[in-house]
Amino acid sequence: MKKIVFILFSGIFSAQTNQYKEILLSKQVGKEVRFYTNGYGIINDPDTGSISIIDSLGTISFTYPYKSEILRLSKDRFILKVKEGESNGKMALIDGKGNQLIPLDKFKYKTWENRDRLIVSKDGKDGVYDYNGKQIIQDQDKIEFANDSRFFIKKDKLWFIYNFDGQQVSDREFKENLKFYKGKVYLQTGTKTGDVIDIDGKTVSQFSNHYIEDINGFPFLITKDIAKNKYGIVDENEQILAENIYEQAFVGRNYIYLIKDNKVSVFSKAERKLFPTEYHYVNHLFNGNFKTLKDSKNPKIAVIKESGEVILPKEYDVVEGFKIKGEDYVFVSKDSEERLLDKNFESVLDEGFQIEKIFFNNVIVKKEDVYYKFSPQDRSYTPIKDIVSIKPFQFYPAIICKNKQNLYGMLDEEGHEIVPFIYDDIVSFLSGNEVVVQKGDKFGVTNLKNEPLKEVIYDKYSADNKKLTLIKDKESEVIDFSSSEDKLMF
């Protein structure tokens, strides 16, 4: 079978990695440094249970002498949780030097990711603080996050909307706290009545004769006939755009998909129109073009327009759309033949070239025994020298290659060397940004910046989705995988 083609992201070639900084700081201070990012790391003393903060220069800026835990909130803000001594069970908000911005006390907290607000619960009351320890909202019966800019605050059994500056934005009363999605929420007032409300408590739309099932496509909403268990669509003015006759309904970014009798109809939000198809389901590629799904009757894929016009017949094994330098392309495969098509579904590769790897800026191709970096925009081919093979199955935003000396290294999508060709083998992993390198019968770990995370001295290794375990003389060492969010593939 022909190798799998991967879309590989190339955006992680930045400054010195946090993981390597942990290793350098650990060597500098003689203690294991963990969770380094944004200028600070954490040191846990396994003997005493004490915990410290270390800065980028290797200075231990804060140590709490008793068994404790430090949780990072942002660049230089932390939660200190004490686990023994006279302050056992207490917490504090501290900065990178250990200054207590919210003093040690017995409280619980909640925060919204990437926003400097804490809901602090203490003595049966909730208050809101910023990450400098300033109280934004005084103690209330109950406070809950409504989204990333609003709170619901409970007073005398009723809830009110407040912003993150502590200001009440509406006099409207609610019987329960709600969660806003994309700035809106649906408040049902009866079986077929309700309001769509924005984050300031204002009614955006009212409904008087429909059961609203889903508002995530607003101003287009999924309705439901509860008795028949069928779905339809109305707009924000309750105009019916699709009757409640469909068995399933799915909301996408630009389209809503309705299924009836094993066939999908596509509602275009832009055109406010429903397009029936002869297919069980379709996925949007770009510009109103869709690929069909394989089914039991025909395990092949077609490409159609939203109007139903067939662009590519139902003959393909693989169809995937993506962008290269911001422009739309499609990879297709049929009977082991692969092609790269532009937005007009015209082939962009010259005869005789086969696709090896697809990146977000260019493509690695091969003709005869030579590899090239191919730019679809200007149709240029740049030879990559001294490479005799590329590993067919990889998980990295780079390529593992073998040179004429039968040694392995790694290249980026431009064909530049990022890991030197000095290894007998290299293995990458879906779970992390680390690679195992091999010399002879020994193993080590490096990354795309060729930072030596573990020396090539280990007898064997194993991996799961969270970590690498390396074994030497029956002793094991563990290295956690770093973020793999940049990895994409089809």
Side-chain angles (χ1 to χ4, degrees), residues 83-125:
K83 297 184 177 181
E84 70 175 9
E86 63 180 16
S87 295
N88 183 25
K90 293 183 178 180
M91 293 192 297
L93 172 68
I94 62 174
D95 63 16
K97 295 182 179 181
N99 297 313
Q100 295 185 24
L101 308 175
I102 298 178
L104 279 169
D105 202 343
K106 290 189 176 181
F107 64 83
K108 296 180 180 180
Y109 75 94
K110 289 179 289 186
T111 188
W112 193 279
E113 185 178 2
N114 299 324
R115 296 303 300 268
D116 63 339
R117 293 293 184 269
L118 290 169
I119 298 176
V120 174
S121 302
K122 183 172 60 174
D123 299 328
K125 294 287 186 178

Side-chain angles (χ1 to χ4, degrees), residues 21-34:
K21 185 68 173 178
E22 289 176 9
I23 293 172
L24 295 178
L25 288 173
S26 297
K27 291 180 178 179
Q28 181 178 343
V29 300
K31 299 178 180 180
E32 185 180 12
V33 176
R34 303 289 301 277

Side-chain angles (χ1 to χ4, degrees), residues 145-147 152 159 174 176-180 185-187 197:
F145 285 104
N147 71 348
F152 264 110
W159 294 85
F174 297 87
E176 59 182 337
N177 61 300
L178 306 169
K179 299 293 183 183
F180 293 100
V185 69
Y186 183 69
L187 181 63
I197 301 165

Side-chain angles (χ1 to χ4, degrees), residues 348-351 353 365 372-375 378-383:
V348 298
L349 279 174
D350 294 338
E351 189 72 25
F353 286 90
V365 298
Y372 299 84
K373 180 188 74 173
F374 171 65
S375 173
D378 57 18
R379 307 292 174 94
S380 64
Y381 298 84
T382 305

Side-chain angles (χ1 to χ4, degrees), residues 451-467:
E451 295 171 333
L453 305 178
K454 293 290 182 181
E455 295 182 63
V456 188
I457 59 174
Y458 296 88
D459 301 318
K460 56 184 179 180
Y461 72 91
S462 62
D464 57 29
N465 61 357
K466 293 183 178 180
K467 64 184 182 300

Side-chain angles (χ1 to χ4, degrees), residues 336-351:
S336 298
E337 177 189 357
E338 301 173 348
R339 290 196 297 158
L340 183 64
L341 311 180
D342 62 18
K343 63 183 179 182
N344 298 314
F345 295 91
E346 300 290 336
S347 181
V348 298
L349 279 174
D350 294 338
E351 189 72 25

Side-chain angles (χ1 to χ4, degrees), residues 304-315:
I304 64 172
K305 289 186 175 294
E306 61 185 18
S307 62
E309 176 188 347
V310 177
I311 301 174
L312 298 178
K314 197 171 174 61
E315 300 173 353

